[in-house]
Amino acid sequence: ASAWKRAHGHKATAKLDLSGIYPPIATPFTAREDVDYQKLEENLQKYAKIPFKGLVVQGSNGEYPYLTEEEQVEVVRTVRRSLPADKLLMAGSGCESTRATVQLTEKMAAAGADAVLVVTPCFYKGKMDARALVQHFTKVADSSPVPVVLYNVPANTGLELPLDAVVHLSQHPNIVGLKDSGGDITRIGLIVHKTKTQDFQVLAGSAGFLMAAYCVGAVGGVCALANVLGGELCELERLCVSGRWEEARLLQQRLIEPNAAVTRKLGVPALKQAMQWFGYHGGACRSPLQPLTDAETQQLRGEFSSNGWL
Amino acid sequence: ASAWKRAHGHKATAKLDLSGIYPPIATPFTAREDVDYQKLEENLQKYAKIPFKGLVVQGSNGEYPYLTEEEQVEVVRTVRRSLPADKLLMAGSGCESTRATVQLTEKMAAAGADAVLVVTPCFYKGKMDARALVQHFTKVADSSPVPVVLYNVPANTGLELPLDAVVHLSQHPNIVGLKDSGGDITRIGLIVHKTKTQDFQVLAGSAGFLMAAYCVGAVGGVCALANVLGGELCELERLCVSGRWEEARLLQQRLIEPNAAVTRKLGVPALKQAMQWFGYHGGACRSPLQPLTDAETQQLRGEFSSNGWL
Amino acid sequence: ASAWKRAHGHKATAKLDLSGIYPPIATPFTAREDVDYQKLEENLQKYAKIPFKGLVVQGSNGEYPYLTEEEQVEVVRTVRRSLPADKLLMAGSGCESTRATVQLTEKMAAAGADAVLVVTPCFYKGKMDARALVQHFTKVADSSPVPVVLYNVPANTGLELPLDAVVHLSQHPNIVGLKDSGGDITRIGLIVHKTKTQDFQVLAGSAGFLMAAYCVGAVGGVCALANVLGGELCELERLCVSGRWEEARLLQQRLIEPNAAVTRKLGVPALKQAMQWFGYHGGACRSPLQPLTDAETQQLRGEFSSNGWL
Amino acid sequence: ASAWKRAHGHKATAKLDLSGIYPPIATPFTAREDVDYQKLEENLQKYAKIPFKGLVVQGSNGEYPYLTEEEQVEVVRTVRRSLPADKLLMAGSGCESTRATVQLTEKMAAAGADAVLVVTPCFYKGKMDARALVQHFTKVADSSPVPVVLYNVPANTGLELPLDAVVHLSQHPNIVGLKDSGGDITRIGLIVHKTKTQDFQVLAGSAGFLMAAYCVGAVGGVCALANVLGGELCELERLCVSGRWEEARLLQQRLIEPNAAVTRKLGVPALKQAMQWFGYHGGACRSPLQPLTDAETQQLRGEFSSNGWL
């Protein structure tokens, strides 16, 4: 029997409530590319004033593939110390192999994660079919001491977690939701529809389609842009949840271009540059991620200023 | 001076109101693969009872690339005869070359089209950049006697009409809107945002994301599924337009799988099979489109029945 | 019984020998974008001095999707008049529908084509599986008065003619070969291997992989670059056929960049520009294909001059 | 000054000769998914009888993304102990971050690697442009105690190492070659052409296009299939190198389908299954890689037997 099964048996337990907005926090580095825990804590203090549901640590925007396992865990431990108990800490723990994912999941729980976000393994993408992925996530969820959130991010992994696999996995009592960064709103609507008997929660993985995701039944979002415009995204959440769709639309529209700039177009270096402009510590990325060129910096600024944010 | 310019000069004219639901009608064939105008008219009589805004003739679901130019025009003429004057007839007139598109556009207008739907030329996809496409659509719109609707359908063309090109073209007084079948809701939201001073209208190109498209600012939809479940799609429209989002969501969710089945998954042969089940004339496609296999027919039926439509 | 079957019955007939180099000729236009038959004939006179196996008319480089059917046939008729009887005229006759392809094939044969080159229909790419394509090409070959050459050009069609379909079709007595422009040398080698009992001939569809294609068993090439550097490509053929691989390699290497420039990178407008530099009539393309920008023209020139051709 | 520069200064040094065939060795596991060093050594003893140039350890076929860093290094150490001194040991050392790659490279050299094979980092694929990759590989090569071989494997990474970056990096004195698994023979020919003044060596990354790669100037191959049909691949090498192209072609053709089966089609589990049939230890993969289904096993056997290998 797995760790999870030993602990929970066949009891029906209420699933962790994921609803709300999360910034997938960036990792500040020193000039020598070491993790800058001091600056990280200063960012956390600023985030504490924003009505986030919690934080995602070791998502793609945290440059987790560039951190050692020790650093990955230590950052989670640091965040946990700062974070009020009522805020949810969701930690990335996905590795390529199942056994490594199982182990890192345990370490993340021990370091204080309330839930883990497990990305699809993707190196052997031709072999990562529904069968392989269902087995992987099932083993991880079976043994995880904390609830598991699936993480689909095809732009990085080159792989779409098949819808049938999501529906199958939604029945696992220790799998509570999905962060979907693909942006296919039809897929999101269908996942909500086909998991509606499972208390399964879908989070939009990007601010560009947050309102549309709420519209079709998502319960929140993990949005890179929340590192920069966190209050605005929480406001968008509030408008959607309270059915004020007209106001929501106007706000949503102004967020699409800044969001695209710090994600798909210019990536993490742009996110960290924009954080600087808005009073957070951003700074350089680890190599091989390069700093923005001057032209890119100007383009980035334009995307914020033309939408009235700078 | 072009036909359009001659007719309209510099007058500010109200743009044609496109808002509402349109079936892109299928083309029935006889056993010998000739156009069956009799069955077409019988379908039209049934559609007349549904509160559609109008009909799209010679869209992808009409197998227009399989019709001769004479057939394309004759079908439009036939539809025009049946169609009440208050219903909009939008006719596909996009060809690969600009000159052919200009000529077919004129023929479609003469045959009774109220507007033309012009697909992106795509054979030389590597060369169809914003510059080429802006020039193409501008020339077509300059000379068209009727308003032009842009048509982006990357699943068929392998090409995305660049967002900047859409924004540029939205300023043309004879280009009134865009049918976008790509399903990228972020893009749709951004197009609405960046064309808001232009009275430019966006139509969702598929029923799968119709509600989300309304949510971010689209004004209607051209939906293959409307050939089968036309009343239901008009009901979804009504719910969205009147702000009854909770009810809309439940209806939308039940339409996603049937819609995927008759479009992305199984295509026009499935659309025509489903039409048969719902009392319309569907029948075989022209070669090389193949009839469904038995397994596909069963799968198709399942997508409708599991969602309560059969 | 089909035209082909009526004519040939069950006799074993020697398949047409396709081996050698073919330019897929460009179509010159007047300033008003009409076909310029005079300039076409002047080009043909120059090509007559090069040891080509024949010419391809209405291939992608001939802008065939931009010509009316009447123009397509008239260009073939014009070429036939100029072309010595011992040179092969291969005419493109592929349309989207099977019936249109059958009809155009007959017209091309009547206009003097020795063989037809039939591209994969591609608009409904999701439905163009092996079953549909085998049926399409079989019907066309059954009725064609002249031998059929399959044409796979995924960069334009977004579709790969499945290998199993090629192997199946290679057994048809009226299908004599394949022009493959995909450039997947493993696929080409495998097609040669799996059709070796069929007297089936593979032509490389681009000069960039011509030598490698000969190496794995192709018998010739239909190469856009042959419009510009025809003698050099025939020389490369001679070196490959006579086993002088070291010399062939040096020549092949100098052709890759010019070839990429006039195909994948800059397309037909670049091909026509380069033709001008080498004494042929090139000129403008039909809209929406755009003329090269100055920067592109310079880049194009660089690809030729850095390899010692200008 | 970097480690490499300190050691080598500005001296012109002969680059390591990479020419020949390498199996990228598989990693046997116990029933508990631990590395089975005993079985590994037994495989090595069998490989010792085949005229390989050397072995690649921690390539994609070794499931390196599923091994811990300690295991990755320990496997290299084990291989080094068994391997005759005149055989080359090339060890994979590519990680996502530059600093991790630098460190693992040093460990691999200390464990006995003669050269390192450094895959393109790929998680942030949208940002891995020529600038980022040139900087990454330059830093790694600057500090590496042993020569560096670039590794391009788009099927796994979703990323093509840009040709311009390869040409630029070929000038680095500690970068000696490229393993290219993409199979684009035009690209391989062009890389050979554009690096010919640099003593830069290209290795085919798959047996399917090995002969064609030799034909355009490659010097060897790192081929998964060499784990199974090692002698045959060395024979193919001998035929290509000695200019016996007709014999080479017949052998090459019979290798394409078995090769596709153990790579693109069915992957590492198929490679390990085929190894079993040919007297090597293969066995199960680490999760989430799944064992073949019965149907897949039969398909695999068919690809070998229909080509006369079983």
Side-chain angles (χ1 to χ4, degrees):
Chain A
S2 69
W4 184 85
K5 284 184 182 156
R6 273 196 309 276
H8 299 274
H10 291 291
K11 283 182 304 175
T13 49
K15 285 195 174 178
L16 185 67
D17 175 11
L18 301 176
S19 62
I21 301 295
Y22 305 73
I25 60 168
T27 307
F29 294 110
T30 67
R32 298 187 140 200
E33 296 196 3
D34 293 316
V35 177
D36 192 329
Y37 292 96
Q38 174 63 34
K39 286 188 175 164
L40 173 62
E41 295 201 13
E42 292 173 20
N43 281 347
L44 295 172
Q45 284 164 25
K46 286 175 187 138
Y47 290 144
K49 295 170 193 148
I50 301 173
F52 292 134
K53 177 68 168 202
L55 305 179
V56 165
V57 189
Q58 310 309 350
S60 301
N61 293 288
E63 298 172 61
Y64 80 86
Y66 291 0
L67 304 187
T68 64
E69 189 184 290
E70 291 70 31
E71 291 171 327
Q72 288 174 346
V73 175
E74 186 56 32
V75 168
V76 168
R77 204 174 283 124
T78 302
V79 171
R80 182 73 280 172
R81 275 197 304 267
S82 294
L83 198 68
D86 64 327
K87 300 270 178 170
L88 222 145
L89 194 166
M90 201 184 306
S93 71
C95 305
E96 283 291 326
S97 79
T98 306
R99 60 158 60 190
T101 306
V102 164
Q103 290 167 11
L104 185 54
T105 295
E106 283 169 10
K107 288 180 190 173
M108 288 306 191
D114 298 305
V116 287
L117 186 65
V118 182
V119 71
T120 49
C122 63
F123 190 76
Y124 300 103
K125 35 183 74 59
K127 298 296 291 176
M128 292 299 104
D129 55 12
R131 180 169 65 119
L133 292 166
V134 163
Q135 199 225 44
H136 176 76
F137 285 112
T138 300
K139 281 191 185 173
V140 171
D142 279 351
S143 74
S144 172
V146 293
V148 168
V149 178
L150 309 173
Y151 182 15
N152 182 52
V153 57
N156 288 346
T157 62
L159 188 75
E160 188 94 78
L161 180 56
L163 194 135
D164 287 348
V166 174
V167 173
H168 184 100
L169 290 165
S170 73
Q171 300 166 23
H172 193 291
N174 205 26
I175 296 179
V176 296
L178 165 73
K179 171 187 175 188
D180 201 312
S181 299
D184 180 345
I185 202 70
T186 306
R187 171 183 156 96
I188 290 176
L190 187 53
I191 289 171
V192 170
H193 179 45
K194 299 200 72 147
T195 62
K196 60 174 54 158
T197 62
Q198 299 300 334
D199 194 16
F200 185 77
Q201 301 163 83
V202 179
L203 299 171
S206 195
F209 53 92
L210 182 60
M211 180 200 186
Y214 269 113
C215 173
V216 300
V219 302
V222 180
C223 306
L225 190 63
N227 283 291
V228 180
L229 296 175
E232 288 76 4
L233 281 164
C234 291
E235 169 69 6
L236 179 53
E237 171 203 12
R238 207 174 56 84
L239 294 171
C240 292
V241 167
S242 56
R244 293 160 63 185
W245 296 104
E246 295 294 326
E247 292 162 86
R249 185 183 303 156
L250 295 177
L251 178 52
Q252 170 68 81
Q253 288 179 346
R254 293 171 58 213
L255 296 170
I256 295 176
E257 286 182 303
N259 177 66
V262 301
T263 57
R264 180 175 54 79
K265 276 191 189 170
L266 298 171
V268 183
L271 177 64
K272 290 176 127 179
Q273 175 60 72
M275 287 174 68
Q276 295 284 141
W277 291 335
F278 286 80
Y280 301 96
H281 293 295
C285 294
R286 264 195 185 161
S287 302
L289 281 173
Q290 301 291 300
L292 299 183
T293 63
D294 288 351
E296 288 171 334
T297 306
Q298 241 177 323
Q299 181 193 351
L300 175 66
R301 183 169 272 279
E303 308 283 19
F304 277 88
S305 62
S306 69
N307 284 284
W309 302 116
L310 272 179
Chain B
S2 69
W4 183 86
K5 284 185 183 157
R6 274 196 308 276
H8 299 275
H10 291 291
K11 282 183 303 175
T13 49
K15 284 195 174 179
L16 185 66
D17 175 11
L18 301 176
S19 62
I21 301 296
Y22 304 74
I25 62 167
T27 308
F29 294 109
T30 68
R32 299 187 141 201
E33 296 197 3
D34 293 318
V35 177
D36 191 328
Y37 292 95
Q38 174 64 33
K39 287 189 175 164
L40 173 62
E41 296 201 15
E42 292 174 20
N43 282 345
L44 295 172
Q45 285 162 25
K46 286 177 187 138
Y47 290 144
K49 296 169 193 150
I50 301 174
F52 292 133
K53 177 69 169 200
L55 304 179
V56 165
V57 189
Q58 310 309 352
S60 300
N61 292 288
E63 299 172 64
Y64 80 85
Y66 291 181
L67 303 188
T68 64
E69 190 184 289
E70 291 69 31
E71 291 171 326
Q72 290 173 347
V73 175
E74 186 56 32
V75 169
V76 168
R77 204 174 284 125
T78 303
V79 172
R80 182 73 281 172
R81 276 196 303 267
S82 293
L83 198 68
D86 63 329
K87 300 271 178 170
L88 222 143
L89 195 167
M90 201 184 304
S93 69
C95 307
E96 282 292 327
S97 79
T98 306
R99 61 158 59 190
T101 306
V102 165
Q103 290 166 11
L104 185 53
T105 295
E106 284 169 11
K107 290 180 190 173
M108 288 306 190
D114 298 304
V116 287
L117 186 65
V118 182
V119 71
T120 49
C122 63
F123 189 77
Y124 301 102
K125 35 183 75 60
K127 298 298 291 175
M128 291 299 103
D129 55 11
R131 180 169 65 118
L133 292 166
V134 164
Q135 199 226 40
H136 176 75
F137 285 112
T138 300
K139 281 192 185 171
V140 172
D142 278 352
S143 74
S144 172
V146 293
V148 169
V149 178
L150 309 174
Y151 182 15
N152 182 51
V153 57
N156 288 346
T157 62
L159 188 76
E160 187 94 81
L161 180 56
L163 195 136
D164 286 349
V166 175
V167 173
H168 184 99
L169 291 165
S170 72
Q171 300 166 24
H172 193 291
N174 204 27
I175 296 179
V176 297
L178 165 73
K179 172 187 175 189
D180 201 311
S181 298
D184 179 345
I185 201 70
T186 307
R187 172 183 156 95
I188 291 176
L190 187 53
I191 288 171
V192 171
H193 179 45
K194 299 199 72 147
T195 62
K196 60 174 54 159
T197 61
Q198 300 300 334
D199 193 19
F200 186 77
Q201 302 163 81
V202 179
L203 298 171
S206 193
F209 53 92
L210 181 60
M211 180 200 184
Y214 270 113
C215 174
V216 300
V219 303
V222 180
C223 305
L225 191 63
N227 283 292
V228 181
L229 296 174
E232 289 74 6
L233 281 164
C234 291
E235 169 70 7
L236 179 53
E237 172 203 13
R238 206 174 55 85
L239 295 172
C240 291
V241 166
S242 57
R244 294 160 63 183
W245 296 103
E246 295 294 325
E247 292 162 86
R249 186 183 303 154
L250 295 177
L251 179 52
Q252 169 69 81
Q253 288 179 347
R254 293 171 58 210
L255 296 169
I256 296 175
E257 287 182 303
N259 178 66
V262 301
T263 56
R264 180 175 53 79
K265 276 191 189 169
L266 298 171
V268 184
L271 177 65
K272 288 176 129 177
Q273 173 60 73
M275 286 173 69
Q276 294 285 142
W277 293 334
F278 285 81
Y280 300 96
H281 293 296
C285 294
R286 265 198 183 159
S287 301
L289 281 173
Q290 301 291 300
L292 299 184
T293 63
D294 289 350
E296 288 171 334
T297 306
Q298 239 177 325
Q299 181 192 349
L300 175 66
R301 182 168 272 279
E303 307 283 18
F304 277 88
S305 62
S306 70
N307 284 283
W309 302 116
L310 273 178
Chain C
S2 69
W4 184 85
K5 283 185 183 156
R6 275 196 308 276
H8 299 275
H10 292 291
K11 282 181 304 173
T13 49
K15 284 194 174 178
L16 185 67
D17 176 11
L18 301 176
S19 62
I21 301 297
Y22 305 74
I25 62 167
T27 307
F29 294 110
T30 66
R32 298 187 140 200
E33 295 197 4
D34 293 317
V35 177
D36 191 328
Y37 292 96
Q38 174 64 32
K39 286 190 175 164
L40 173 62
E41 295 201 14
E42 292 173 19
N43 282 346
L44 294 172
Q45 285 163 25
K46 284 176 188 140
Y47 290 145
K49 295 169 193 151
I50 301 174
F52 292 134
K53 177 71 170 199
L55 304 179
V56 165
V57 189
Q58 309 309 352
S60 301
N61 293 287
E63 298 172 63
Y64 80 86
Y66 290 1
L67 305 188
T68 64
E69 190 184 289
E70 291 69 31
E71 291 171 325
Q72 289 173 347
V73 175
E74 185 56 31
V75 168
V76 167
R77 204 174 284 124
T78 303
V79 171
R80 181 74 278 173
R81 278 197 301 268
S82 293
L83 197 68
D86 63 329
K87 299 270 178 171
L88 223 145
L89 194 167
M90 201 184 305
S93 69
C95 306
E96 282 293 326
S97 79
T98 305
R99 61 158 59 190
T101 306
V102 164
Q103 290 166 12
L104 185 53
T105 295
E106 283 168 12
K107 289 181 188 170
M108 287 305 190
D114 298 304
V116 287
L117 185 65
V118 182
V119 72
T120 48
C122 63
F123 189 76
Y124 301 102
K125 35 182 75 58
K127 297 299 291 176
M128 291 299 104
D129 55 11
R131 181 168 66 118
L133 292 166
V134 164
Q135 200 226 40
H136 176 75
F137 284 113
T138 299
K139 282 192 185 170
V140 172
D142 278 352
S143 74
S144 172
V146 294
V148 169
V149 178
L150 309 173
Y151 182 16
N152 182 51
V153 57
N156 288 347
T157 62
L159 187 76
E160 187 94 80
L161 180 56
L163 195 136
D164 287 348
V166 174
V167 174
H168 184 99
L169 291 166
S170 73
Q171 300 166 24
H172 193 291
N174 205 24
I175 296 179
V176 296
L178 165 72
K179 172 187 175 188
D180 201 311
S181 299
D184 179 344
I185 202 69
T186 306
R187 171 182 156 97
I188 291 176
L190 187 53
I191 288 171
V192 170
H193 179 45
K194 299 199 72 147
T195 61
K196 61 174 53 158
T197 62
Q198 300 300 334
D199 193 19
F200 186 77
Q201 302 163 81
V202 179
L203 298 171
S206 193
F209 54 92
L210 180 60
M211 180 200 184
Y214 269 113
C215 173
V216 301
V219 302
V222 180
C223 306
L225 190 63
N227 283 293
V228 180
L229 297 173
E232 289 75 5
L233 280 165
C234 291
E235 169 69 7
L236 179 53
E237 172 203 13
R238 205 174 57 83
L239 294 172
C240 291
V241 167
S242 57
R244 292 161 63 185
W245 297 103
E246 295 295 324
E247 292 162 85
R249 185 183 304 155
L250 295 177
L251 179 52
Q252 170 69 81
Q253 288 179 346
R254 295 171 57 211
L255 297 169
I256 296 175
E257 287 182 303
N259 177 67
V262 300
T263 56
R264 180 175 53 80
K265 277 190 189 170
L266 299 171
V268 183
L271 177 65
K272 288 176 129 178
Q273 173 61 72
M275 285 173 69
Q276 295 284 142
W277 292 334
F278 285 82
Y280 300 96
H281 293 295
C285 294
R286 264 197 184 159
S287 300
L289 281 173
Q290 300 291 299
L292 299 184
T293 63
D294 289 350
E296 288 171 335
T297 307
Q298 239 177 326
Q299 182 193 350
L300 175 66
R301 183 168 271 280
E303 307 283 19
F304 277 88
S305 62
S306 70
N307 284 284
W309 301 117
L310 274 178
Chain D
S2 69
W4 184 86
K5 285 185 181 155
R6 275 195 308 276
H8 299 274
H10 291 292
K11 282 183 305 177
T13 50
K15 284 195 174 177
L16 186 66
D17 176 11
L18 300 177
S19 61
I21 301 296
Y22 305 73
I25 61 168
T27 308
F29 294 110
T30 67
R32 298 187 140 200
E33 294 197 3
D34 293 317
V35 176
D36 191 328
Y37 293 96
Q38 174 63 33
K39 286 189 175 164
L40 173 62
E41 296 201 12
E42 291 174 19
N43 281 346
L44 295 172
Q45 285 163 25
K46 284 175 189 139
Y47 290 145
K49 295 171 192 146
I50 300 173
F52 292 134
K53 177 69 167 202
L55 304 179
V56 164
V57 190
Q58 310 309 350
S60 301
N61 293 287
E63 296 172 63
Y64 81 86
Y66 290 1
L67 304 188
T68 64
E69 188 183 290
E70 292 69 32
E71 290 172 327
Q72 289 174 345
V73 175
E74 186 56 31
V75 169
V76 168
R77 204 174 283 125
T78 302
V79 172
R80 182 74 280 173
R81 276 197 303 267
S82 293
L83 197 68
D86 63 328
K87 300 271 178 168
L88 222 145
L89 195 166
M90 200 183 305
S93 70
C95 305
E96 282 291 326
S97 79
T98 306
R99 60 157 60 189
T101 306
V102 164
Q103 289 166 12
L104 185 54
T105 295
E106 283 169 11
K107 288 180 189 172
M108 287 306 190
D114 298 306
V116 289
L117 186 65
V118 183
V119 71
T120 49
C122 62
F123 189 77
Y124 301 102
K125 36 183 74 57
K127 298 297 290 177
M128 292 299 104
D129 55 10
R131 179 168 67 119
L133 292 166
V134 163
Q135 198 225 43
H136 176 76
F137 285 113
T138 300
K139 280 192 185 171
V140 172
D142 279 351
S143 75
S144 172
V146 294
V148 168
V149 178
L150 309 172
Y151 182 16
N152 182 52
V153 57
N156 288 345
T157 62
L159 188 76
E160 188 94 79
L161 180 56
L163 196 137
D164 286 349
V166 174
V167 173
H168 183 100
L169 291 165
S170 73
Q171 301 166 23
H172 192 291
N174 204 26
I175 295 179
V176 297
L178 165 72
K179 172 188 174 187
D180 201 311
S181 298
D184 179 345
I185 203 70
T186 306
R187 171 183 156 96
I188 291 177
L190 187 54
I191 289 171
V192 170
H193 179 45
K194 299 200 72 147
T195 62
K196 59 174 54 160
T197 62
Q198 299 300 335
D199 193 18
F200 186 76
Q201 301 162 83
V202 179
L203 298 171
S206 194
F209 54 91
L210 181 60
M211 181 201 184
Y214 269 114
C215 173
V216 300
V219 302
V222 180
C223 306
L225 190 63
N227 282 292
V228 179
L229 296 174
E232 289 74 6
L233 280 165
C234 290
E235 170 68 8
L236 179 53
E237 172 204 12
R238 206 174 55 84
L239 293 172
C240 292
V241 166
S242 56
R244 294 161 61 184
W245 295 104
E246 294 294 325
E247 292 162 85
R249 185 183 303 155
L250 295 177
L251 179 52
Q252 170 68 82
Q253 288 178 346
R254 293 172 56 212
L255 296 169
I256 295 175
E257 287 182 303
N259 177 66
V262 301
T263 56
R264 180 175 53 80
K265 277 191 189 169
L266 298 170
V268 184
L271 177 65
K272 289 177 130 177
Q273 174 60 71
M275 287 173 69
Q276 294 285 141
W277 291 335
F278 285 81
Y280 301 96
H281 293 296
C285 295
R286 264 194 184 162
S287 302
L289 281 173
Q290 301 291 300
L292 299 183
T293 63
D294 288 350
E296 289 171 333
T297 306
Q298 239 176 325
Q299 182 193 351
L300 176 66
R301 182 169 272 279
E303 307 283 19
F304 277 88
S305 62
S306 70
N307 284 282
W309 301 115
L310 271 179

